[in-house]
Amino acid sequence: MKRADKIENKRIFKSTTTALSEVRQFVEDNALSFGFGEKEVSEITLAVDEACTNVIKHAYQSDPNFEFEVRITAGGIEFQVVVRDWGAGFKPEEVPVPNIKGKIGRHKAGGLGIFLMRKLMDSVEFQGRETMNEVRLIRYLKNEPKP
Amino acid sequence: MNEFKVLTRDSGNAVVMDLHGFLDAHTAPDLEKTFAELIGKGKFNIVVNFDALNYISSAGLGVFMAYIDEVRGNHGDIKLANMQQKVFNVFDLLGFPFLYEIYKDQDEALKKFNSQ
């Protein structure tokens, strides 16, 4: 398969957890065509799943009447995914780094998703505007892809 | 849509939970339900067989965290086995190997229970 040098793709998804598998497929297809290996593709896909899960559960409280957008732009060595919603904003700086031991026994795993996103991607930025929230996830191609 | 299935079977004094497919925020409630049912029946020796699990996100990891305290409080344990590398990597990133017993093979995990 010929590698895509430049990618600009956008899709809108319903705010329901059933959309997560479609999101993963969308991200996987694009990351593969940009030249990432299997391990990197699964890491990028997981990070985006976590971002979208946060949108569905927290920004929209799992109300399927809302929608969110996943936009992928890639060029050079940079693969960027922006997840955008128009729901309730949140302050990522107020989400503590999870202490797994401290969380055990509680029926909430809050904070794990953000922690994973930061571990898996080269850059994760949250931006809250007046009516819109964005998470920008970036991963760089470390090795030259095979021709 | 990516499917998820969880099946349980008795093995000695333990229960094996076989996970199949994709464990995310959509499917995690199915796993939660299975844990709640086992615990409700007083089954606290649990081996989770990850052999056919292709994917896990933090929503799935959260389920294991939610029940471990109650299970250990009843002198049982949740032992994890047969993880594919990509699934293990997610557990590893969050430090699970320090808090859970993770085995390459489910028989090793079962032996631990059966020798108790």
Side-chain angles (χ1 to χ4, degrees):
Chain A
M1 189 174 68
K2 194 183 176 303
R3 182 187 167 242
D5 297 328
K6 226 173 165 57
I7 293 175
E8 271 195 52
N9 274 323
K10 184 181 90 172
R11 267 189 68 182
I12 304 283
F13 297 93
K14 287 240 176 270
S15 171
T16 161
T17 52
T18 51
L20 289 170
S21 57
E22 297 164 38
V23 169
R24 291 196 297 266
Q25 193 61 59
F26 176 58
V27 174
E28 194 179 309
D29 291 347
N30 282 283
L32 272 174
S33 72
F34 194 56
F36 284 108
E38 203 184 314
K39 184 169 184 282
E40 288 82 8
V41 170
S42 63
E43 290 173 354
I44 295 165
T45 305
L46 174 56
V48 179
D49 174 320
E50 298 292 349
C52 296
T53 298
N54 280 348
V55 168
I56 295 163
K57 293 211 154 181
H58 303 301
Y60 290 136
Q61 272 90 44
S62 303
D63 184 338
N65 294 312
F66 292 101
E67 290 175 332
F68 61 94
E69 176 190 293
V70 179
R71 183 190 292 260
I72 300 175
T73 45
I77 59 161
E78 183 183 287
F79 185 83
Q80 174 178 276
V81 185
V82 176
V83 179
R84 184 177 283 182
D85 71 78
W86 294 266
F90 87 114
K91 294 193 169 92
E93 63 276 11
E94 288 175 6
V95 180
V97 172
N99 168 359
I100 304 297
K101 204 167 184 182
K103 281 181 179 292
I104 275 184
R106 297 186 207 166
H107 285 250
K108 294 273 176 209
L112 292 188
I114 293 174
F115 179 79
L116 276 179
M117 276 186 246
R118 293 197 197 280
K119 282 269 181 193
L120 297 167
M121 302 299 281
D122 290 314
S123 159
V124 179
E125 273 177 38
F126 294 86
Q127 202 163 44
R129 297 188 184 151
E130 265 180 43
T131 55
M132 184 185 81
N133 310 296
E134 267 186 12
V135 189
R136 191 176 299 267
L137 306 121
I138 297 174
R139 180 81 185 242
Y140 300 106
L141 265 178
K142 295 280 177 342
N143 302 311
E144 278 299 305
K146 286 174 190 152
Chain B
M1 196 172 63
N2 293 149
E3 302 281 337
F4 173 73
K5 199 166 63 177
V6 49
L7 301 170
T8 59
R9 56 192 160 92
D10 290 321
S11 180
N13 63 351
V15 176
V16 179
M17 215 185 239
D18 295 305
L19 309 187
H20 301 257
F22 295 77
L23 184 51
D24 62 7
H26 186 62
T27 57
D30 294 345
L31 180 63
E32 218 168 322
K33 193 168 152 239
T34 307
F35 267 111
E37 280 168 7
L38 287 180
I39 289 167
K41 287 180 194 161
K43 295 189 185 265
F44 301 110
N45 291 352
I46 301 166
V47 173
V48 185
N49 173 20
F50 284 80
D51 188 35
L53 191 81
N54 296 314
Y55 179 83
I56 190 162
S57 72
S58 70
L61 293 157
V63 180
F64 297 100
M65 287 160 59
Y67 290 100
I68 190 73
D69 227 15
E70 189 175 353
V71 165
R72 286 183 181 158
N74 284 282
H75 310 291
D77 197 15
I78 300 171
K79 299 186 196 294
L80 316 175
N82 290 348
M83 281 183 196
Q84 295 180 30
Q85 189 60 44
K86 61 183 174 184
V87 171
F88 175 78
N89 289 346
V90 185
F91 277 92
D92 195 31
L93 273 177
L94 288 169
F96 272 63
F98 293 103
L99 300 159
Y100 292 76
E101 291 178 24
I102 301 179
Y103 294 89
K104 283 217 164 67
D105 188 277
Q106 62 172 321
D107 291 338
E108 283 177 57
L110 283 168
K111 257 187 221 159
K112 280 272 177 182
F113 278 131
N114 291 324
S115 64
Q116 279 169 7

